[in-house]
Amino acid sequence: MTNRSLDQAAQAAGIALAFTNALGKKEAIRDETKQALLAVMGNPQTQKPGPLPPAVVLRGNQPRCLLVAGSGHFHWQLESEQGKQFSGEVLAGTELPLPKRLAQGYHRLTLTQGKKRWQTQVIIAPRRCYLPAALENGGKRWGALVQLYTLRSANNWGVGDFGDLQQLLQQVGAQGGDFVGLNPLHALYPASPAFASPYSPASRRWLNVLYIDVAQVDDFQHSKAAQRWWQQAKTRRALEQARASEWVDYPAVTALKITALRHAWAQFSQRSAEDEQQQAFALFVQQGGDSLRYQAAYDGLQGELRHGKADFCGWPDWPEAWQHSQTAEVQAWCAAHEDEIAFWQWLQWLAQRQLAHCWHVSQQSGMSVGLYRDLAVGEAAGSSETWHDPELYRLKASVGAPPDRLGPQGQNWGLPPLDPHVMQARAYQPFIDLLRANMRDCGALRIDHVMSLLRLWWIPAGGGADKGAYVSYPVADLLGILALESQRQRCMVIGEDLGTVPREIVSLLRNSGVFSWKVLWFEQNQDGRYRQPEAYPEQSIASASTHDLPTLYGFWQAGDLQLGDKLGLYPGEAVLASLYAERAKQKQALLDALHLAGVMPARSAKQAEKLAMTPQLNLAMHRYLAQTGSALLGLQVEDWLGMTSPVNVPGTVTQYPNWRRKISVPLEAIFDDATVKRLLKAVSQVRGK
């Protein structure tokens, strides 16, 4: 293949030939990278296109007509989502006008020519995503940001759960807050509990069953066997150890919860078919379909096939005959283990019911947003989703980020990319299903790395992250579907747009009503000064930090730099010294901004190096954030309590116990703390203005 033909093939497949690097310079993609990615994709352009694409998305005032390709005459028939029928004839090369006043939604268009038949999904979408009435006309709201597993309480079993979330919602609402923002609640790996990153899930459509509050499960309370186990001294000791642990002990928590829930399942299974809960569960299973069945089968099989192996044992480590959900061996196992499958389906039902109750509590508390959920950028390579539907993923590649200042070698997140060509061929149904699953029982959805709607950095297997390339996604279509589902589910959308953001996505997100994310540490002008609160755009959520960044106390005390040095993350003393020097400049710039905004006492220190981190300085930072023009403000519980240790240290795997650090104060005591109450009262007063 000549260089020209290689470039043409790459462009046709959506592979960018160059990109703008972290220094702002254009950098060409290597030929070997283009060849490798074309091989990964399996030459997507070889399939002969039909007269219309599998899906057409029309938004706002776009012309309601479709250009028909091919040759000859076609008969067309349109069935609207509401069941109305329309039909006619159309000549290839001309436009097919759609019926006037075709409602927003999903409509099925069929073209026939002799015995040939083609189907297109016509999607009529709104221009913008949903916005709660409370945020219209300059309304401002604040809420708490929490990694749910970090919560301590007198009732949980060593990991924060949906019972804790209910209590947190009530407490935040009582303090004037409007929402609780969560980490991804996606399904993980009960058979490999130490594999705990919420951003490398088994499935983004199903829930992490460890968040079930066992005490709220009726059949646990009514089971004599469960209660005997519950009263055993051994059980009580294990529970107290899990609660008292400084870090979440996932293996211990999982062993306790799964044992308890198996007892409860035995009790539930004795209910009659006419029982109300049995009927609700049966409907849940029916609606969940194959997706739920094979998520449950995966959970059961992983426990059986792990055989005491190391922390993680996904399907790529299984015998070849078990590496796909549709093999004869897997089907035979499923037929012989229907009760095991039903058990894991039941856990998903319990988790969904408890999350729905949390949403109900938020609405009872008068919250306009209530809950916002977090959608990870992908599933892990050894996930249940890639096991059940490998054709949707390019398993010989992973996504990440090109080299930049923070990651000179680039980043490889170990997540296989969704194939945009397969998504289009399936009329975007995988994307639609994903949105519907994650917009349930919440008022907002945060999309991690929202730039993935436009492009993703694909890295061929075996290569470094610096040997990748950007692959484009059908951003206009995806944003249209996002807006449609957002309006239907009454769920606003927040886009995590931190890092290198391509110019073309900024206006697309803004015009689609997707909220931007503004993190205090990054809101600096080119001269190093921090932007004043009024400069924050209304269509955004502001926060001090994120789960990947230091807390307020950690930032001011440079605890993150000390930890990074301890973990060996910096290549030499010179790099560390430059980071400390940069931090000193940031602290001074931030202190100057606090004084300029009038949130610091006039007589307080003007030199950052002479000012220790205190509750007073913490309050000033929160008042500064409360003044921002952002419609939403997310505050981390860690910052209320003056915590310094992070929940995650990017660039580490085993060096630091990521996703395990608990909140330092039990949930029951947080809102009794006078300093916390004073801080939240100040925030509510400022946001109320």
Side-chain angles (χ1 to χ4, degrees):
M1 186 181 289
T2 65
N3 288 344
R4 182 178 179 182
S5 60
L6 175 61
D7 286 352
Q8 289 175 338
Q11 285 183 305
I15 302 169
L17 304 183
F19 72 101
T20 302
N21 64 24
L23 300 177
K25 296 181 179 179
K26 196 170 184 179
E27 186 173 334
I29 299 298
R30 301 175 177 87
D31 284 349
E32 52 267 33
T33 297
K34 302 170 197 171
Q35 293 168 341
L37 290 180
L38 283 171
V40 164
M41 291 182 180
N43 296 316
Q45 304 304 313
T46 58
Q47 295 182 356
K48 186 178 180 180
L52 287 173
V56 175
V57 182
L58 301 174
R59 301 178 66 187
N61 296 321
Q62 279 185 271
R64 302 291 178 87
C65 55
L66 308 177
L67 181 61
V68 180
S71 59
H73 285 81
F74 296 89
H75 176 77
W76 64 268
Q77 181 172 335
L78 178 72
E79 181 178 358
S80 75
E81 191 175 30
Q82 295 74 29
K84 292 184 178 181
Q85 302 278 348
F86 306 88
S87 62
E89 303 290 327
V90 64
L91 178 66
T94 64
E95 290 185 339
L96 189 165
L98 296 174
K100 294 181 179 179
R101 298 181 181 178
L102 192 60
Q104 290 180 6
Y106 302 92
H107 314 287
R108 186 172 62 189
L109 175 65
T110 303
L111 291 180
T112 55
Q113 189 179 69
K115 294 183 178 181
K116 296 181 179 179
R117 183 183 183 91
W118 300 268
Q119 283 199 338
T120 293
Q121 181 157 244
V122 178
I123 304 173
I124 307 297
R127 190 171 64 87
R128 294 177 65 83
C129 293
Y130 172 75
L131 182 69
L135 298 184
E136 295 176 351
N137 303 318
K140 293 183 179 182
R141 295 293 186 272
W142 71 268
L145 305 182
V146 65
Q147 303 279 306
L148 183 54
Y149 52 86
T150 66
L151 291 178
R152 296 178 187 265
S153 76
N155 296 319
N156 76 36
W157 289 21
V159 66
D161 59 28
F162 290 133
D164 293 332
L165 180 55
Q166 293 169 30
Q167 184 179 347
L168 181 62
L169 283 162
Q170 291 168 334
Q171 295 281 14
V172 169
Q175 299 295 326
D178 191 66
F179 62 88
V180 170
L182 300 165
N183 56 284
L185 302 178
H186 306 322
L188 294 181
Y189 310 88
S192 298
F195 195 74
S197 171
Y199 292 94
S200 295
S203 172
R204 293 183 291 169
R205 289 185 61 181
W206 302 104
L207 296 172
N208 183 349
V209 298
L210 281 193
Y211 291 134
I212 295 171
D213 179 358
V214 179
Q216 292 189 22
V217 178
D218 293 339
D219 293 278
F220 176 73
Q221 300 295 346
H222 298 154
S223 167
K224 293 180 179 179
Q227 292 306 305
R228 283 196 301 270
W229 170 83
W230 177 242
Q231 297 300 331
Q232 290 175 3
K234 180 180 179 181
T235 303
R236 308 304 294 182
R237 283 195 302 270
L239 177 62
E240 291 309 314
Q241 288 174 359
R243 281 178 178 160
S245 174
E246 179 184 1
W247 309 90
V248 177
D249 186 343
Y250 284 106
V253 171
T254 303
L256 282 165
K257 287 204 167 187
I258 297 303
T259 299
L261 291 166
R262 285 196 182 277
H263 283 301
W265 167 246
Q267 180 73 19
F268 181 85
S269 300
Q270 296 175 18
R271 293 173 180 255
S272 70
E274 289 73 31
D275 177 82
E276 183 179 347
Q277 289 198 30
Q278 276 282 16
Q279 290 182 341
F281 172 53
L283 179 61
F284 178 80
V285 170
Q286 178 186 348
Q287 293 174 339
D290 275 359
S291 176
L292 175 59
R293 177 173 177 79
Y294 288 106
Q295 172 63 37
Y298 186 87
D299 284 335
L301 261 175
Q302 193 188 17
E304 187 168 310
L305 294 175
R306 184 183 175 190
H307 294 312
K309 293 183 181 178
D311 288 343
F312 182 66
C313 179
W315 66 262
D317 300 312
W318 299 353
E320 185 175 353
W322 299 83
Q323 292 185 358
H324 192 295
S325 68
Q326 300 305 305
T327 66
E329 287 80 359
V330 170
Q331 292 301 307
W333 184 92
C334 290
H337 294 79
E338 291 293 350
D339 186 72
E340 180 70 5
I341 291 173
F343 167 68
W344 292 103
Q345 290 173 319
W346 184 67
L347 296 193
Q348 288 295 334
W349 178 68
L350 290 177
Q352 193 67 64
R353 277 167 55 95
Q354 291 194 0
L355 176 59
H357 183 63
C358 291
W359 168 244
H360 180 66
V361 167
S362 76
Q363 299 308 284
Q364 283 184 320
S365 299
M367 295 179 167
S368 60
V369 176
L371 280 175
Y372 91 57
R373 296 175 61 178
D374 195 351
L375 178 63
V377 72
E379 288 94 358
S383 68
S384 56
E385 294 289 350
T386 58
W387 175 69
H388 178 52
D389 192 6
E391 292 79 11
L392 183 58
Y393 302 84
R394 296 302 95 196
L395 297 176
K396 293 184 178 179
S398 57
V399 298
D404 58 22
R405 183 175 61 87
L406 295 178
Q409 301 302 315
Q411 299 177 48
N412 187 335
W413 303 330
L415 308 172
L418 283 167
D419 190 320
H421 308 288
V422 176
M423 275 209 302
Q424 288 175 301
R426 295 188 187 181
Y428 300 118
Q429 198 59 47
F431 184 65
I432 296 166
D433 292 340
L434 185 64
L435 291 178
R436 289 176 179 171
N438 285 274
M439 287 180 169
R440 287 185 64 173
D441 304 313
C442 64
L445 178 65
R446 174 189 181 272
I447 299 179
D448 191 43
H449 195 68
V450 72
M451 288 81 77
S452 63
L453 298 176
L454 172 72
R455 68 183 191 182
L456 272 174
W457 184 257
W458 285 31
I459 306 162
D466 59 330
K467 295 180 174 61
Y470 278 114
V471 174
S472 65
Y473 285 72
V475 61
D477 287 359
L478 297 180
L479 282 174
I481 294 168
L482 180 64
L484 176 58
E485 290 301 323
S486 169
Q487 292 285 355
R488 288 193 162 187
Q489 309 300 329
R490 298 177 63 82
C491 178
M492 66 180 297
V493 180
I494 299 166
E496 186 273 293
D497 53 354
L498 306 176
T500 303
V501 183
R503 289 183 179 179
E504 56 265 41
I505 192 70
V506 175
S507 59
L508 289 172
L509 293 172
R510 183 173 62 246
N511 294 338
S512 294
V514 176
F515 271 45
S516 179
W517 193 287
K518 300 300 177 184
V519 175
L520 176 62
W521 307 142
F522 299 149
E523 291 302 303
Q524 290 179 275
N525 297 312
Q526 289 186 343
D527 61 5
R529 291 183 299 171
Y530 278 89
R531 295 184 178 92
Q532 282 296 287
E534 60 270 18
Y536 283 57
E538 182 179 344
Q539 191 175 299
S540 69
I541 179 171
S543 71
S545 188
T546 74
H547 59 266
D548 286 332
L549 297 170
T551 64
L552 286 173
Y553 274 73
F555 175 88
W556 198 262
Q557 297 172 356
D560 58 317
L561 301 183
Q562 297 167 24
L563 179 60
D565 182 36
K566 179 180 177 181
L567 298 176
L569 299 183
Y570 309 127
E573 291 295 327
V575 171
L576 182 60
S578 68
L579 290 173
Y580 273 112
E582 178 66 22
R583 180 61 53 83
K585 292 179 181 178
Q586 287 179 293
K587 288 169 59 177
Q588 186 60 57
L590 180 57
L591 182 59
D592 293 342
L594 296 178
H595 277 289
L596 185 60
V599 296
M600 287 287 289
R603 295 183 178 180
S604 62
K606 299 294 194 300
Q607 291 180 299
E609 64 179 10
K610 296 182 178 180
L611 189 62
M613 188 64 185
T614 63
Q616 290 72 32
L617 178 56
N618 190 30
L619 175 62
M621 291 179 179
H622 278 81
R623 292 183 62 197
Y624 180 90
L625 287 164
Q627 289 183 7
T628 59
S630 301
L632 295 179
L633 169 63
L635 305 176
Q636 293 191 134
V637 176
E638 291 90 335
D639 292 329
W640 306 348
L641 302 171
M643 293 180 63
T644 58
S645 59
V647 75
N648 178 53
V649 178
T652 64
V653 179
T654 59
Q655 304 98 310
Y656 184 81
N658 295 319
W659 319 115
R660 290 162 174 79
R661 195 267 291 126
K662 295 182 183 180
I663 295 294
S664 58
V665 176
L667 180 57
E668 295 85 355
I670 292 175
F671 297 92
D672 289 334
D673 185 289
T675 300
V676 171
K677 292 167 73 173
R678 183 166 59 251
L679 185 152
L680 297 184
K681 182 179 180 180
V683 168
S684 286
Q685 288 175 339
V686 174
R687 297 300 281 177
K689 295 178 183 179

